[in-house]
Amino acid sequence: MKIIHFRNLLFAFVLFLHHGLLSQVVDFSKASIAASSAIASPFKEKMIAVLQEEIANKTNLKLSSSPQDKSPLLLLAQQNSQEVNGFTLPTLTKDDQPSIQKEGFRLVHQQIGGRDLLWFIGADQRGLLFAIGEFLRTADLSKQKILFDKKYEKSSAPMYAIRGHQIGYRNTANSWDAWDFKQFERYFRDLAFFGTNAIENIPFQDGAASPHMKINREEMHIKMSQMCQAYDLDYWVWTPADVDLADPQKFQEELKAHIEFYKNCPRLDGVFFPGGDPGENHPKYVLPFLKAVAAELKKYHPKAGVWLSLQGFNDEEVNYFYDYLDQNKPDWFTGIVTGPSSPDLASTRFRLDKKYQHRHYPDLTHTVRCQYPTENWDQAFALTEGREVTNPQPSYYAKIHNRFAPFTDGFLSYSDGVHDDVNKVIWSQMAWNTEKDVRQVMVEYARYFFGNSVAEAAADGILALERNWVGPVEENGGIETTFAFWQNLEKNHPELKGNWRWQQLVMRAYYDTFIKRRKMYEQGLEKEANLILSQAKVLGSEKAMSLALEKVNQAVQRPAAPELRQKVVDYCEALYQSIGLQTSVAKYKASGAERGAILDFIDYPLNNRWWLEDEFAKIRKMADEAVKLERINIIATWENPGPGSYYDNISDQLKGPRVKTKTEDATDVAWWDNGLSRRRLSTQLFQNFPKLEYEDLDPKGSYTIRISGQGDALLRVDGVRVRPVIYNKGVEEFKEFQLNPKFISDGKISISFDEPEESHLNWRQHSKVFDIWLLKK
C-alpha cells in the first residue's frame, strides 16, 4: 500500500510539473496588433506590416491591426512611448537596463484583466525591429498557431555597434546578381531579424554586367539604399579606386563619380575605401582623395563616415598613414577597416588613436585562399568543393568572431553569395552577444526558416555538416551518419523541398558523402595500380604502364555512387531555379570557376590518373628501358618508400601523420589551370613552411631527406640549417639533403623551414613544399 501511495504521489507531482511547464506557454493565435503613436511614420506602419506578413507566412493567420475587445495583444512600442491601446508600458526593473541602451529591446508578457499582452519595446526604432526578430525566432509559429513561451522574455542590447554584411550587386556574386527587389528586401529583413544592422553595397567597381541581372545596376544601388532606409539599417558602400589617383584628371573623374552617387542615395552611412585590394595607390594620394570625398559626402549625408583599410600596404605605406593621422588628426576620417592582407587586428587597435573606430572585414564566404581558411580540411574536399561551396561552419566562425571582436567596434563581413548564409547569422548573433550558445543560434535559425517541428533536428544536422569537414574523410564515420540523418529529414519534410536554405544543406550532405565514397574507391584503384607498377621489371615498362592506367581509369568506366552524384545535380538545378545559385560556368553561367561552380569539379579525379597519363607519356619517350624502370619505381613507391623510410603528403592528414602544421593558413590550394590541373594531387595543395617530427629512427641508420616542392626549401633539422646535395627548384623536382649521423643518434629528429626573402613575388609564386620523404639507405 505504501508503494502504491508513493507512486500516486509521484504521478501527481509529474502532472503538476507538466501543468506548470505548459502554463508558461501563452497562446496568441487570436491576437491583434497595436502600435504606439510615438513610433514615427512610416517606420511604424512598416513594422506592423512586417509582423503581419511574417506571421501570415508561417501560420496562415492574418492578425488585425484594429484590436478587438478582450483579444490578446501584440503591442509595439518604443521606450519613450507612454501607453499603447490604453495599456501603460511595463515598469522598468534593474534587470531591464540593457533594453534602454542603443538598439536594445524588451520582450515582456503581461496578463491584465485576463487579457494576455506581449510587449515589443525598443529603445529606438532598430530596437523595435530586433524585438520583432527575437519573437519570430523563438515563438512557435506553425499552422494556425502562435505560441510564446515565457522563458523567452528578454531585455537585451548588442555588445558591438557595427553588425553588417557586404551584399554587392555585381557579376562576381554567385546568386544575388539574379535577384529582384523583392528577393533583396526579403534577405535584408531576414538578416535584420538575426541582429544585422548594416548592409554594404559595391556601386562602382565591376566589370561587365551579369547575364543574370534583371535590374539595371544603377537602379538597384539606389533601391538598396531605400530598403535600408525603410528598415532603419545602415547603408555602406565599398569604393575601391583602381585608377591612378596621382593623375589629377583621374582623381577628379573618380571624385565626380562619388559625388553623383551620394546625391542620389536616400540613405548613406559609411564609405569604405580598400587601400590595396584592389588598387595600388600610395596613401599620399589616397588620403587627399578621401578628404575630398568626405567634404562632398557631408553635403548630402552629414552623419556618414569615411573608412580606409590598409590592405596591401607595405610597411612604409602603413607608417605613412599613421604619421598622417598623428600629425593632422583629421576629423573627416572615421576609422580603419581590417581585412585580408591588412596588419593584424590587435596591433591595429593598439596603434590606432582612440579617436577613431576600428571595423573588422571578415571573409565568411571562402574556404581556401582566404583570410580564414577551413581548418583540417580533407584534400578531396579542397579540390572538388572549391572556394565558394555551401559552408555552414557555426562553431568555427563563432570562435573566430569571439577571438578578434574585442579589438573592434564590430564588423561588416565580406560575402559574395548565399552559400555562407549560416555564417552570416552566427556572426551577427555573436556580435550581439559573444556568450550566445552556438547550438541555440542554430535552433533559432532552423525554427525561423524551417519551422518549429524540425528546429532541433535541423540545428543538429547543420552542426553535423560542419563536422563532416574535420579531418580525413577515410576516418570520418560521421559523414555517412550525417548523410543518413539528412536523408531522413529530406524524406520526412517534403514541404521544405522548395526552401533554398534547406536545398543547400541537403545538397551538401549528398556532396560530402559522394566525395568520400569516390575518394576511397578511386584511391583504392591507385593502390592496385601501384602494385602493378612494382612488377614493371617482370612485366616490362610498357605493359606495366598500360595495365596501371587501365586500373585507375576504372574510376571513369565504373564510377562510384552515381545515384548520389545525380542528387547533387538535381539540387543544383533546384537552387538555380529557387535562388539563382550558379553552380557551373558552362551550365549556369557562373562568373568564374572559383565562384561556387561546384558542378564543374564534381568529377575531378581523386586519384592521380591524369598525372599518371602525363608521366607515362614522358616515360615512353625515354630511349633506355633501365631509365624507364627507374622512373616507374619512383612513381610506384611515391607513397610507400619501403621499410624504415617515411613519406608525408604535407596537406593530407591521413598521409602526412608527422606533419604538425595543419591549422589556419598552414595549408592552401595552388589553383593551377583554373582548378583543373593535371598535376599530382599532393602537388596541388601545399604548405610554405611545414614542421614535421620523426621518432623511432634507427640511431645508427643513414638517412636522406627528399623534398618535392617549388622554389626554395631552406631546411633545418633540429634547428640547424642543412645544405642540400641536390637542389632542383621546379615543380615536383626533387631536393635532397644527406643527414649527418649526429642528428639521428637519439632516434628522432624535427624538421622546419626558414622563410626565403620573396616579398618581391606574388604570393602564388612563393616557395612551396608538397611532399617530404625520410629515406633510409
Side-chain angles (χ1 to χ4, degrees), residues 277 311 337-345 358-375 387 396-397 400 403-404 408 411-415 427 663-668:
D277 184 15
Q311 291 170 264
V337 176
T338 294
S341 72
S342 293
D344 70 87
L345 284 136
H358 184 207
R359 191 201 108 186
H360 198 175
Y361 182 36
D363 181 354
L364 313 184
T365 208
H366 291 136
T367 53
V368 290
R369 297 183 299 285
C370 60
Q371 187 180 19
Y372 301 119
T374 300
E375 296 180 308
R387 199 173 182 226
Y396 177 52
Y397 281 112
I400 293 173
R403 175 183 172 185
F404 295 116
T408 75
F411 77 94
L412 264 153
S413 75
Y414 167 63
S415 175
W427 206 280
T663 59
E664 295 190 355
D665 208 11
T667 302
D668 215 334

Side-chain angles (χ1 to χ4, degrees), residues 338-403:
T338 294
S341 72
S342 293
D344 70 87
L345 284 136
S347 65
T348 298
R349 180 65 273 176
F350 295 143
R351 191 171 181 182
L352 183 64
D353 190 304
K354 291 183 180 180
K355 173 180 179 179
Y356 303 108
Q357 297 181 64
H358 184 207
R359 191 201 108 186
H360 198 175
Y361 182 36
D363 181 354
L364 313 184
T365 208
H366 291 136
T367 53
V368 290
R369 297 183 299 285
C370 60
Q371 187 180 19
Y372 301 119
T374 300
E375 296 180 308
N376 301 323
W377 213 25
D378 191 278
Q379 247 181 9
F381 288 152
L383 293 170
T384 59
E385 302 219 33
R387 199 173 182 226
E388 284 186 7
V389 67
T390 298
N391 63 335
Q393 295 171 276
S395 297
Y396 177 52
Y397 281 112
K399 178 181 70 174
I400 293 173
H401 174 273
N402 291 351
R403 175 183 172 185

Side-chain angles (χ1 to χ4, degrees), residues 459-525:
D460 288 333
I462 292 169
L463 294 168
L465 286 175
E466 179 173 22
R467 290 190 292 274
N468 277 6
W469 281 5
V470 180
V473 297
E474 297 92 332
E475 296 181 346
N476 191 343
I479 293 174
E480 292 285 353
T481 304
T482 300
F483 175 52
F485 186 84
W486 274 105
Q487 267 196 314
N488 188 56
L489 289 178
E490 175 191 36
K491 177 183 176 181
N492 291 332
H493 294 279
E495 75 278 5
L496 293 171
K497 67 180 182 180
N499 183 308
W500 63 264
R501 290 178 173 90
W502 185 262
Q503 291 168 346
Q504 286 200 109
L505 296 168
V506 179
M507 181 274 291
R508 251 290 309 280
Y510 277 99
Y511 205 114
D512 289 354
T513 309
F514 174 63
I515 294 303
K516 175 185 177 178
R517 294 184 188 179
R518 194 159 71 79
K519 180 185 181 185
M520 295 178 70
Y521 170 60
E522 293 185 14
Q523 298 217 345
L525 294 176

